[in-house]
Amino acid sequence: MNSTRHDEFRDYVAARGPVLLRAALQLTGDRAEAEDLLQAALAKTYLAWDRIQDRAAVDGYVRRAMVNTQISWWRRRKLDIYPTDELPDQPVDDHTRRSDLRDALGRALDRLPERQRLAVMLRYYEDMPEAEIAEALGVSVGTVKSTVSRAMAKLRDDAALEADFPNASHPRP
C-alpha cells in the first residue's frame, strides 16, 4: 500500500474512529473488548482498502467486519464456558437497567424539537464537531452551540426521564 493510501486510511480512522468505537461498544458491552474488536475490524479493513471502491461504504464495511469478528469471538468463547455450581464473586452487570435507561433516553430525545434532536444526535451520537454540524444544518456555529445547550437543559429537566430513573445522576456539561 503506497503512502497516499496509507494516509487516506489513517485520516479515515482519525475521523471515524470515535463513532466506530461506540458501535463496537454496543456490540461488546465492554470498553476493552470494544477497542480490541475495532482494532481487529480496522486491520481487516486496512488489508482490503484497495478493494473498497466506494469510500462512502467504508463505515458499513468496518461495521460488518466488527459484527463478523464479534460472532466469531462469541462462538469461540462459548466453547470455553463450562457450567459450575459456584456463583462468581463479581457483581453481575445489570443489562436490563442499562437497556431501560437507553430506552428512556430515546423517548426523551423523541420529545425534543426536531432541530434540537438532530443537533444532539449529530454532536453526541455521531461525534461531529460543531463546525460540521453547522455546515450540515446550514446554520452558524453559535446557533449549533445554543441549540445543543438548550436541548441538553431540556433533557436534564425532563420530568418523565426523572420519573423513570429518580436515582440517576444528571451531570451538567
Side-chain angles (χ1 to χ4, degrees):
M1 186 176 280
N2 65 32
S3 67
T4 304
R5 290 189 177 122
H6 176 76
D7 292 341
E8 186 179 331
F9 182 77
R10 187 187 65 232
D11 293 343
Y12 168 76
V13 172
R16 299 298 296 162
V19 172
L20 294 170
L21 180 59
R22 277 195 300 280
L25 191 54
Q26 290 294 317
L27 286 170
T28 63
D30 178 72
R31 179 141 184 114
E33 278 190 52
E35 290 171 353
D36 291 344
L37 179 62
L38 178 57
Q39 187 67 30
L42 288 173
K44 291 176 182 180
T45 304
Y46 182 80
L47 294 174
W49 192 252
D50 291 334
R51 294 188 312 251
I52 302 172
Q53 301 296 321
D54 182 9
R55 294 296 188 227
V58 175
D59 274 7
Y61 186 95
V62 175
R63 288 175 198 268
R64 174 48 49 193
M66 284 193 295
V67 168
N68 290 345
T69 303
Q70 178 66 11
I71 290 170
S72 175
W73 289 355
W74 175 76
R75 286 179 179 152
R76 192 172 308 128
R77 235 186 338 259
K78 185 176 174 186
L79 296 175
D80 295 338
I81 297 174
Y82 301 101
T84 180
D85 290 335
E86 296 177 29
L87 293 175
D89 291 337
Q90 300 173 345
V92 177
D93 189 14
D94 186 0
H95 297 289
T96 304
R97 177 161 168 70
R98 204 170 357 150
S99 179
D100 289 345
L101 182 59
R102 193 174 299 125
D103 290 344
L105 182 58
R107 288 190 304 274
L109 284 169
D110 288 342
R111 287 189 290 271
L112 290 175
E114 183 178 351
R115 185 177 188 172
Q116 287 181 359
R117 182 175 55 249
L118 184 57
V120 167
M121 296 297 287
L122 292 175
R123 181 70 183 107
Y124 296 106
Y125 281 78
E126 289 297 322
D127 201 28
M128 287 177 68
E130 290 157 343
E132 286 182 30
I133 297 170
E135 185 178 322
L137 298 178
V139 297
S140 70
V141 173
T143 300
V144 170
K145 288 180 181 182
S146 64
T147 301
V148 169
S149 177
R150 282 192 307 275
M152 294 305 292
K154 282 185 179 184
L155 289 173
R156 275 192 299 276
D157 296 335
D158 191 317
L161 188 58
E162 182 65 31
D164 285 340
F165 295 94
N167 297 327
S169 62
H170 298 290
R172 304 218 178 243

